[in-house]
Amino acid sequence: MSRTIPSQVGTVPDPAPPASGGLGRALARLLASAQVRWGLGLTLGTLLIAFVGPFLAPYPTSKPVARPYAPPGEGLTLGSDQIGRDVLSRVLSGGVGLAWMAPTAAILGVVIGAAIGMLGAYYGGLADTLLMRAMDVLLAFPGLLMALMFVSVLGPTPWLLVLLVVLALVPGVARVIRGATKPICHREFVLWAKAVGVPGRTILLREILPNITSPLLVELGVRLMWAVGILASISFIGYGIQPPTPDWGLMVSENRTGLATQPLAVLAPIVLIALFTIGGNLIAEGGARVIARTEGN
């Protein structure tokens, strides 16, 4: 379909119509995917353990209740850790930090990175060059190394950790979304919107953003895995959540020397970290496939 625009614009296609159906139908399509449902189950289950678990812990998390590395039994479902604390209580109480810090960092990293990538691809020229060179500077510093440098000076405060993870995630997201946005900027409906004087901000939000939803969702899943990995690694080497506060990454580090004696003290937090990561990735990949099929139809 096309229409004629007065003056020198000529005959150009109408912009792509907005997707119909509303939020309810979009959620119904997502929930129809078995992959999304599995991802939601794993993620919500892990979050439930993280936020409700502290109220269900049978013992104080910092008080020894048995001999070090005691096996399961005698009231200790998962045994004890390196100083005799109940592993189950620490597992139930150790996920709160990771449960809010990793998704927050991943969402902020994707939002900021996507905005930078879209702006660079849409405006091009000097703006694109400056933005991408700034991303190159951030990419030159490994995320974990940069986090360790700042945390060692400023201290392991939660919001500083989130900010550092965001800085580590933004460059990769910006480059991926820039590559996904470039072809959309040359589509006919975007050229038409430019020709009739639609503001750039409106074009980015209404014409370009809906057409890069699939890579955005995939990036969110990937960056969630990165965020969990970085935060767990920081805790593992002692620069994250500080003892005696329980933390899944810290538990792995504290009990790694007793892996052969009491493996549950290490395996239990590792399993929960893995389930959290896998769940977020399943949601993102499943959602991207649903959107891709919808757009193909």
Side-chain angles (χ1 to χ4, degrees):
M1 181 183 296
S2 63
R3 63 182 178 186
T4 302
I5 306 298
S7 74
Q8 292 81 12
V9 175
T11 301
V12 290
D14 284 328
S20 59
L23 181 60
R25 290 183 60 183
L27 290 175
R29 287 196 298 268
L30 289 175
L31 292 176
S33 167
Q35 189 173 4
V36 173
R37 292 198 301 271
W38 272 103
L40 281 172
L42 292 176
T43 303
L44 293 178
T46 310
L47 291 175
L48 186 66
I49 292 173
F51 290 114
V52 180
F55 302 101
L56 304 177
Y59 296 100
T61 58
S62 58
K63 180 181 178 181
V65 295
R67 61 181 175 84
Y69 294 131
E74 300 181 0
L76 301 179
T77 305
L78 298 179
S80 65
D81 66 2
Q82 87 281 12
I83 61 173
R85 297 169 298 192
D86 179 40
V87 171
L88 177 61
S89 297
R90 290 183 67 79
V91 167
L92 290 174
S93 304
V96 176
L98 192 64
W100 76 263
M101 290 165 66
T104 301
I107 292 171
L108 289 176
V110 170
V111 169
I112 297 172
I116 292 172
M118 290 170 62
L119 289 171
Y122 179 76
Y123 289 105
L126 181 61
D128 186 27
T129 301
L130 291 176
L131 289 173
M132 291 303 105
R133 294 300 77 77
M135 296 301 99
D136 289 342
V137 171
L138 289 177
L139 280 173
F141 295 92
L144 184 57
L145 180 60
M146 182 171 62
L148 293 179
M149 181 176 64
F150 281 96
V151 168
S152 62
V153 175
L154 301 176
T157 58
W159 280 107
L160 175 62
L161 294 174
V162 170
L163 175 61
L164 293 172
V165 175
V166 170
L167 290 177
L169 300 181
V170 164
V173 177
R175 288 198 164 274
V176 171
I177 298 305
R178 175 181 178 271
T181 303
K182 276 282 189 182
I184 306 297
C185 292
H186 301 290
R187 298 279 293 274
E188 293 178 336
F189 57 87
V190 174
L191 297 176
W192 177 87
K194 288 182 178 180
V196 298
V198 177
R201 181 178 60 182
T202 303
I203 295 175
L204 286 169
L205 293 177
R206 295 186 180 180
E207 306 293 348
I208 295 177
L209 182 60
N211 287 281
I212 59 171
T213 307
S214 292
L216 274 176
L217 285 175
V218 173
E219 278 298 297
L220 182 59
V222 171
R223 302 308 161 179
L224 177 60
M225 288 193 298
W226 279 64
V228 171
I230 293 174
L231 289 169
S233 299
I234 292 173
S235 292
F236 178 82
I237 59 181
Y239 285 86
I241 303 298
Q242 297 297 298
T245 303
D247 177 78
W248 291 340
L250 181 61
M251 288 181 65
V252 177
S253 174
E254 290 176 334
N255 299 290
R256 68 186 187 278
T257 56
L259 182 60
T261 305
Q262 220 296 58
L264 291 178
V266 174
L267 295 180
I270 287 178
V271 167
L272 288 172
I273 292 172
L275 291 177
F276 187 31
T277 305
I278 293 170
N281 197 47
L282 286 176
I283 295 172
E285 282 195 15
R289 291 181 180 180
V290 170
I291 292 170
R293 287 198 299 267
T294 303
E295 292 173 349
N297 295 331

